[in-house]
Amino acid sequence: HDWFPLQGGHTGSGIRTRENFLFYWNYTPRKPFLETEAMYEAIICGPRVADARDVRQAAWKSLLSGSYGYTYGGAAVWLMRWDHDDSTGTSYNPDHCWHEGMRLPGSTQMTILRDFFSELEWWNLVPRFGDPAWGEFADLEATALATEDNRVHVLYAYGPQRRLGRLRGLAPQQPYAAWWFDPRTGTRYPIANDIMSADGIWALPRKPSGDDWVLHLRQGRATAAEMAGDPIPVEVARPAGNVAFFAIATASATDT
């Protein structure tokens, strides 16, 4: 055979591991691999129903781990059952119809994924598989990084940990621009346009929330239009106890 069609499975097996992707990446003779069936949305195959978050995790992680693509699947899309009165189609868990399956939220989020990668020379991205020369991460399994040399870094972090760690391998004394990208909505939030490191190391900012996020780092300063956008949404947890965290303070003068 000339290539590997992978079957990542559903909630019973969980998201494919970094080591498993690395096995196919290092396989000799070299062959392309494609994640063809993983976390089909709304499927009851395991301890729970796969949802859009499962789909995103499987898709983004696979694409940043060397997969040539990802095939999205949704419950009942393949059953050819037009509506609930159609006796010629097949019932499957759950009892969806074809057009209901096509409207599952993960399908829209796959369009967002495609649009993101279409703006990059995605075929030049090389997965780093936790290589410490390219980054030090608090959660290696839930962090997928691919780079185009030191010019473009794409990091997908799907664990609850908000403190991610550090990137390595940046060009010293060269400016970089960075954005958070929301894989649920397609919204891009600018982080900074003048990131510069003397030693090629950048301490990553905290994720906006404990959900999955994409960080896009690009060498060179971005245009004003590219850096325009809403402030980064910040998830703030109310502290326990008698702490005046949300009090309003005033000052007689300010210097910044």
Side-chain angles (χ1 to χ4, degrees), residues 35 41 46 55 76 78 80 83 102 116 120 127 142 182 191 211 223 245:
E35 184 66 273
E41 193 170 3
V55 171
W78 61 88
M80 306 302 180
D83 57 34
M102 286 296 292
F116 176 89
L120 306 174
D182 187 339
I191 298 173
D211 215 325
T223 66
F245 192 80

Side-chain angles (χ1 to χ4, degrees), residues 177-228:
W179 300 262
W180 285 115
F181 182 81
D182 187 339
R184 293 161 294 278
T185 65
T187 306
R188 192 182 298 267
Y189 300 95
I191 298 173
N193 197 19
D194 54 356
I195 299 165
M196 199 171 297
S197 170
D199 55 5
I201 301 173
W202 181 42
L204 293 165
R206 284 170 46 133
K207 278 199 311 180
S209 71
D211 215 325
D212 55 322
W213 285 86
V214 180
L215 188 141
H216 178 201
L217 181 73
R218 190 185 75 198
Q219 189 175 341
R221 289 187 173 89
T223 66
E226 289 177 313
M227 298 305 292

Side-chain angles (χ1 to χ4, degrees), residues 33-79:
F33 59 89
L34 175 71
E35 184 66 273
T36 61
E37 183 181 347
M39 296 298 171
Y40 278 8
E41 193 170 3
I43 293 295
I44 306 170
C45 187
R48 59 179 177 81
V49 177
D51 58 20
R53 180 185 174 91
D54 296 308
V55 171
R56 292 194 309 273
Q57 291 178 1
W60 282 90
K61 187 174 185 178
S62 67
L63 288 174
L64 294 174
S65 299
S67 176
Y68 272 48
Y70 175 83
T71 59
Y72 168 81
V77 172
W78 61 88
L79 300 179

Side-chain angles (χ1 to χ4, degrees), residues 124 134 147-153 169 176 217-220:
N124 289 327
W134 291 95
T147 80
E148 181 186 346
D149 297 323
N150 59 12
R151 294 186 294 274
V152 176
H153 297 66
Y176 285 81
L217 181 73
R218 190 185 75 198
Q219 189 175 341

